Amino acid sequence: MVDEFDTVASWTVAAVRELGPDHALPAACRGSGSPAALDWLADAIGIGPGTHLLDSGAGVGGPAAYVADERGARPVLAEPMAGACWAAQQLFGSTVTVADGARLPFADATFDAAWSLGVLCTVEDKAAHLAELRRTVRPGGGVGLLVYERAVDSLPDQPEGNHFPDRAELEAAVAAAGLRVVETVPLTDLPSTPEDWQRAADAVDDAVERRHRDDPRWARAQDQQDTIGDLISRELVVGVLVHCRAAEAAA
Ligand SMILES: C[S@@+](CC[C@H](N)C(=O)[O-])C[C@H]1O[C@@H](n2cnc3c(N)ncnc32)[C@H](O)[C@@H]1O
């Protein structure tokens, strides 16, 4: 995971500088890729002008920068990989904290809303990660997730560091964290990534490859991405957007 989420993430900065700033957003959305997915979740959890948004597991910061640009949100990024945090600051001037999503350095009810995109499958204790989202969001605030769900009992190839939940495991973790699911939508029901966005992301990947293809860290990260890409294309793992809210306290 360090190769993919720390080292290669930090290499993105030089590639974007080479290709131009219009490549930053597409290159920095590593969990969702698609603006339609970000718009769906942003509408669901009520991201608008001034929304104080926590992005937990923010990676290189593309999704947070997207809602800052498009909606005037005020995102704060939490991400355990220092290289990704550095990249988000370089590319977008983001407000970033190096932190594990299961131990967030924020007081209760700090944020209006929170999201965590493509992160749950990389953490073992999903309920702990989700409980921190619930704790740090004000009562009634929305919590958005992009989850890569396992659609079969067992996977032919399990990428290192990934723990894809099936639907029952996801629902159990959400409930254990004191959240309830309001609505879900599969990524495949939404418009796919626009061609110009995909072209820009591919150009950044190509530039990173040109500079680093002889580095074993690039090869390991690429292997990881190929394995996940294969699972998704065979629909053994499916992307799902989840809109959650804090569960009502028992009477
Ligand atoms: C697939 S990337 C998604 C990045 C970003 N959310 C996006 O959509 O572009 C998964 C991210 O989860 C982060 N991650 C891994 N373990 C984590 C943890 N314990 N707490 C928070 N984030 C974590 C990784 O460092 C990585 O940046």
Side-chain angles (χ1 to χ4, degrees), residues 163-184:
H163 318 272
F164 299 101
D166 65 15
R167 177 56 65 99
E169 287 162 354
L170 173 62
E171 286 178 355
V174 166
L179 293 165
R180 72 185 163 84
V181 174
V182 178
E183 193 180 2
T184 64

Side-chain angles (χ1 to χ4, degrees), residues 5 28-32 57-59 63 79-81 100-101 117-119 122-123 129:
F5 297 139
C29 289
R30 306 311 297 195
S32 68
E79 161 61 48
M81 301 287 176
D100 180 343
L117 309 176
V119 181
T122 68
V123 300
H129 185 89

Side-chain angles (χ1 to χ4, degrees), residues 60 77 84-96:
V60 182
L77 284 57
C85 292
W86 173 80
Q89 283 176 321
Q90 295 295 310
L91 292 175
F92 307 111
S94 309
T95 303
V96 179

Side-chain angles (χ1 to χ4, degrees), residues 1 15 19 22 40 50 84 95 142 207 213 247:
M1 285 218 308
L19 294 164
D22 54 327
W40 186 92
T95 303
R213 65 164 67 97

Side-chain angles (χ1 to χ4, degrees), residues 186-211:
L187 279 183
T188 48
D189 281 10
L190 297 172
S192 54
T193 307
E195 272 178 34
D196 58 339
W197 184 281
Q198 190 58 54
R199 255 197 313 274
D202 291 346
V204 171
D205 286 345
D206 290 347
V208 169
E209 179 177 353
R210 275 196 306 280
R211 287 161 182 252

Side-chain angles (χ1 to χ4, degrees), residues 148-168:
Y148 285 95
E149 261 182 20
R150 182 165 44 81
V152 290
D153 284 343
S154 69
L155 295 171
D157 204 0
Q158 177 83 11
E160 180 252 323
N162 279 264
H163 318 272
F164 299 101
D166 65 15
R167 177 56 65 99

